[in-house]
Amino acid sequence: MRLIFTYMNKFEALGLGEAIIKAVNDMGFETPSEVQEKAIPILLEQDTDIVALAQTGTGKTAAFGFPLIEKIDSKSRITQGLILSPTRELCLQITNELKNYSKFIPGLHTVAIYGGASITEQAKQIKRGAQIIVATPGRMQDMINRKMVDITNIGYCVLDEADEMLNMGFYEDINAILSHTPEDKNTWLFSATMPKEVATIAKRFMQKPVEITVGHKNTGSKNVSHEYYVVNSRDRYAALKRLADANPDIFSVVFCRTKRDTQKVAENLIGDGYNAAALHGDLSQNQRDLVMKSFRNRQIQMLVATDVAARGIDVDDVTHVINYQLPDEIETYTHRSGRTGRAGKSGVSMVIVSKSEIRKIKSVERIIKKSFEKKEIPSGEEICQVQLFHLASDIGKAEINHEIDSYLPSINEVLEDFSKEELIKKFFSVEFSRFHNYYKNARDLNAAAGDSGRESSNDGSTRYFINVGEKDGFDWMTLKDFLKEVLELGSDVLSRVDVKESFSFFNTASEYQERVLSIFEDFRMEGRKVNVEISKDSGRNRGRRRGRDNGGSFKGKRRSEGFKPKGKKRFDKKEDRNQGGNRGRDRRKRSDRR
Ligand code: ADP
Ligand code: MG
């Protein structure tokens, strides 16, 4: 030995053995995360139950995975460790991680057990010897009942994402599964939050657990509102772009079901000038790190991701989660929507669905115990209005660059004949005409009315624009109340109240048009003039015009790039391709989901 003090890496210092250290080095982990630092030494040294609370993405898998692997006897083929996790995705993710951690330990086998795949195949794998089983509660129960697994000798039971499991109604299953395990095993409970139900489990099934908490406890997703949009499948992509364009400051995670769709949607967005990128399991760790870095820096506004790849994302300030497609397992929705509304901020989770998927919204509502609001994909007109105001407010906020001062006299000369009003109009025409032209004939993307939602058809109604919005403290409910009161109208007459940042839209039955306009003719709120105009866009009935929706882009860098003159043609092709690409998706193998 050449050195007196041999270099000890931080993972060795936790007491982990050589094989795991080698794997850790291979995975490129340099420093243990906080939950790892706290949990690993305890679990290695003591035979104890533990309750560990740490947010998503804090490295909980290794926090229980490393010590579990250390404690398993790889020479024995008996099942010694059981990990219960809420979803198939997680189950597979944990299994993969454990396999990675234990790759230098010959003879150690980890097997995943989850619904929706062949039970006999899973039973076969277990028969070959599985010291560690990672299971979803439902399938585990099933296999116990069929005597396909034997967990009567396990020494360790991990309840991962315990809060989610209980949310999903697995209490009875967990109860039943644990009744087949030995009294003297150790139970390790990992959870992001500690609702009463989790505390009950801890009390019921655990003996004097050590408790560790990392960071502040997750407040859950009560700050998230949920919306859905019904479109024809072939319009999914166009709808996605409209949603982005209607929210100029969007900072979002867009979820797709498969790696392929993720890649394709991201490529299309990039091609159309959006600041977008893909995140999925086919990228190298290095590529993923780069993508995440750009996302954190806001160079990427739309991160298109698979569920598994996005699982570790803990970026605050995400304004929107967009479900480009609903997940296969509706439970996964909770995790998706949890990417926004973090750190006390509010967020929106949007779902684009086709008519045949509307019933799934109901199932999601049951799981999240919240209801969705059915919304309409904004029309081209609405988007133009949003973007125009955004541009105006950006200009208002812009810091003046004095470099141009010296050119001012000659510029003034060119423009001296125009009034302020004319100048503003000209300026906006230069900046905005192309965007406007692009969207002005955009068709209605909402799937035909009358078959899906609670909204009645809007025939005979008038749509208005009003210059108050979120920044005045309104949301759609409070604005509706406000309008009801001011206009002395009933709820049934007011509809489609749609609140944007600095302005909003609403509809009334057309017969009230005069009343609305006269009441708001000279209306002040806290001294400010409230302006109401009839929106040129009549709302739901707007889409009879047949235009091409080749989507627009008008944000950040894109503005200077302008619209590609050939964009239209190129895009048409792309939409066609998308349609073709949808075929056979369901047959695609599961490995495409990460
Ligand atoms: P959680 O279960 O807390 O949500 P995970 O265990 O899934 O978090 O870990 C999130 C991500 O962080 C995974 O991609 C994992 O490989 C990575 N990771 C875990 N521990 C470390 C570490 N010490 N250093 C670097 N990356 C880590
Ligand atoms: Mg986890």
Side-chain angles (χ1 to χ4, degrees), residues 8 10 36 39 125 136 144 172 187 270 310 336 536 544:
M8 199 185 221
K10 290 180 180 149
Q36 292 163 3
Q125 286 187 32
T136 51
I144 292 172
E172 289 307 325
T187 305
I270 294 164
R336 290 184 172 187
K536 267 187 276 167
R544 300 294 170 251

Side-chain angles (χ1 to χ4, degrees), residues 56-57 59-61 64 90 93-94 160-161 311:
T56 313
K60 293 192 286 295
T61 319
F64 62 75
L90 262 177
Q93 191 188 345
I94 296 168
D160 190 27
E161 307 233 5
R311 189 48 62 78

Side-chain angles (χ1 to χ4, degrees), residues 285-295 299-300:
Q285 187 63 46
N286 215 357
Q287 287 171 311
R288 268 187 279 177
D289 290 347
L290 275 175
V291 169
M292 281 311 298
K293 198 166 157 222
S294 320
F295 188 54
Q299 284 151 335
I300 291 170

